[in-house]
Amino acid sequence: MNTRTPPRFDPTRVLHLLGSFAPVTEEVDAAELEVTGEIPAALDGLYLRNGPNPRFTPIGSYPYPIDGDGMLHGVWLSEGRARYRNRFVRTPALEAEERAGRALWGGLESVILPHAEEVGPALAGTFRDLPDINVVRHGGRMPALAESACPYRIGAGLETLGREDFEGALPAGMTAHPKIDPVTGEMVVFCYGLEPPYLTWSVIDRDGTVTRGPTPVEGVDEPMMIHDMALTSRYAVLVLAPAFFDLDAAMGGGSFLAWRPERGTRVVLIPRDGGPPRWAADEAFWLWHTVNAHDDGPGADAPVVLDYVQWSRLTVGGTSGAARTRSAAVWHGPASTPRRAP
């Protein structure tokens, strides 16, 4: 059901719905793209991207880059030729909105949910799936990934094959930014949720088999947004900025996401061998994406170096919040503080 009357929202004033960012509503196939110059004959394969693309004019809010239906864009290259195809990731919510001819779910910051008579009892009062952030290929699968939920499995022609939960081994889903170990072939993932356990991590082998199921991360007792991670030979590295989910505030007309800088930012090193996590604390900052991470030495006590782009605070759909590239070395002490490079 709708939780409340949709707030005033003018999509013509949202930068990420205009101009070059305007949504693409047509699915097309271009069998023979015009080539300027020459495509090397040895270049053979598929370039594939995924991103938020509202099927209908949003209601309530539109905080880019989290909202928007997933759309896949593929360019196939072979024998010096190129072809293009794009397809929506066909979730139940997208299909329900297509039947209605309009948006039925509000943006993340408005929590507008449809009535049963609009979408049926199975979808009424639920959040929509948004596999709109990333797409990867691993273990014979090609999942389109959401912020932290079940991805959708994509076929060779960009058709949607359904939710991907890895034979039930990852029922709650995974992050949009997993990391693949180039040596072992393992893909390490995390997943955050609105209910306990608020943060888990898992491992998927090179053949697509889940070898470590969802494992709770000790020390996380509130729902938090975590966008990306990093990986070293010994650790999964996550940065927990003070971006908290507040469902009560959202139901009362406030924001679903609350930035609480007084809580500071924490960095957790999760040993890949299953040992207890190790924490470091810092002043508040937000991290969208990591750049790299590595173990700074062969010994078990060597620090971990994390490279990343740091934002002064969380912003969605806007450009405020200063950003800079940083490097930090994280020690293993019980109350350590990251040391930053200038």
Side-chain angles (χ1 to χ4, degrees):
M1 56 179 290
N2 293 81
T3 60
R4 56 193 171 90
T5 302
R8 293 178 60 87
F9 174 67
D10 184 358
T12 66
R13 299 179 63 85
V14 178
L15 175 64
H16 295 101
L17 294 172
L18 303 173
S20 298
F21 291 99
V24 176
T25 59
E26 185 179 3
E27 296 178 327
V28 301
D29 291 270
E32 196 74 35
L33 297 178
E34 180 181 352
V35 176
T36 301
E38 182 178 347
I39 299 175
L43 191 58
D44 189 295
L46 166 65
Y47 170 75
L48 182 61
R49 68 171 295 269
N50 186 13
N53 189 89
R55 177 66 179 85
F56 296 98
T57 301
I59 57 175
S61 65
Y62 182 73
Y64 178 88
I66 300 171
D67 278 340
D69 301 292
M71 175 172 274
L72 300 159
H73 302 262
V75 177
W76 284 260
L77 304 173
S78 183
E79 299 179 343
R81 303 164 66 182
R83 62 184 177 91
Y84 167 83
R85 168 179 288 181
N86 69 312
R87 291 293 185 271
F88 279 105
V89 183
R90 302 203 62 80
T91 66
L94 174 75
E95 294 178 339
E97 291 187 331
E98 286 186 336
R99 289 191 294 270
R102 59 184 177 87
L104 299 173
W105 278 263
L108 179 68
E109 293 182 335
S110 52
V111 193
I112 300 169
L113 308 177
H115 292 274
E117 56 266 28
E118 294 176 299
V119 296
L123 292 178
T126 65
F127 292 94
R128 60 180 175 152
D129 293 320
L130 290 173
D132 62 351
I133 296 179
N134 195 8
V135 59
V136 297
R137 187 193 297 272
H138 182 74
R141 294 173 167 90
M142 194 161 64
L145 303 169
E147 172 64 20
S148 193
C150 273
Y152 275 71
R153 193 168 182 173
I154 304 301
L158 307 190
E159 68 275 17
T160 301
L161 303 178
R163 283 191 180 91
E164 177 60 82
D165 64 3
F166 295 86
E167 285 74 48
L170 295 181
M174 56 189 281
T175 174
H177 292 295
K179 293 296 183 288
I180 298 174
D181 187 320
V183 176
T184 68
E186 292 176 317
M187 184 164 71
V188 180
V189 309
F190 71 89
C191 183
Y192 63 76
L194 298 178
E195 298 177 349
Y198 297 108
L199 178 62
T200 61
W201 70 286
S202 306
V203 179
I204 305 169
D205 206 349
R206 63 168 70 246
D207 65 0
T209 301
V210 175
T211 55
R212 173 181 286 274
T215 304
V217 178
E218 298 177 6
V220 183
D221 54 10
E222 294 179 79
M224 306 178 68
M225 179 178 172
I226 310 165
H227 187 68
D228 197 3
M229 64 175 290
L231 192 67
T232 77
S233 61
R234 297 199 306 268
Y235 298 101
V237 185
L238 279 74
V239 176
L240 281 66
F244 296 89
F245 289 103
D246 192 334
L247 187 58
D248 291 338
M251 293 298 185
S255 176
F256 191 31
L257 268 176
W259 179 249
R260 298 169 181 164
E262 71 279 2
R263 300 286 296 274
T265 289
R266 296 189 296 164
V267 181
V268 60
L269 305 180
I270 304 172
R272 292 172 60 180
D273 64 7
R278 301 168 179 179
W279 293 88
D282 199 0
E283 62 187 13
F285 67 87
W286 172 253
L287 180 147
W288 277 113
H289 297 117
T290 62
V291 179
N292 194 21
H294 66 274
D295 300 312
D296 194 20
D301 294 330
V304 170
V305 176
L306 173 66
D307 299 314
Y308 57 94
V309 177
Q310 171 180 312
W311 294 80
S312 59
R313 61 187 180 89
L314 170 63
T315 60
V316 288
T319 57
S320 59
R324 53 180 172 172
T325 303
R326 303 302 298 268
S327 180
V330 183
W331 277 267
H332 301 162
S336 59
T337 300
R339 183 184 67 184
R340 302 179 185 283

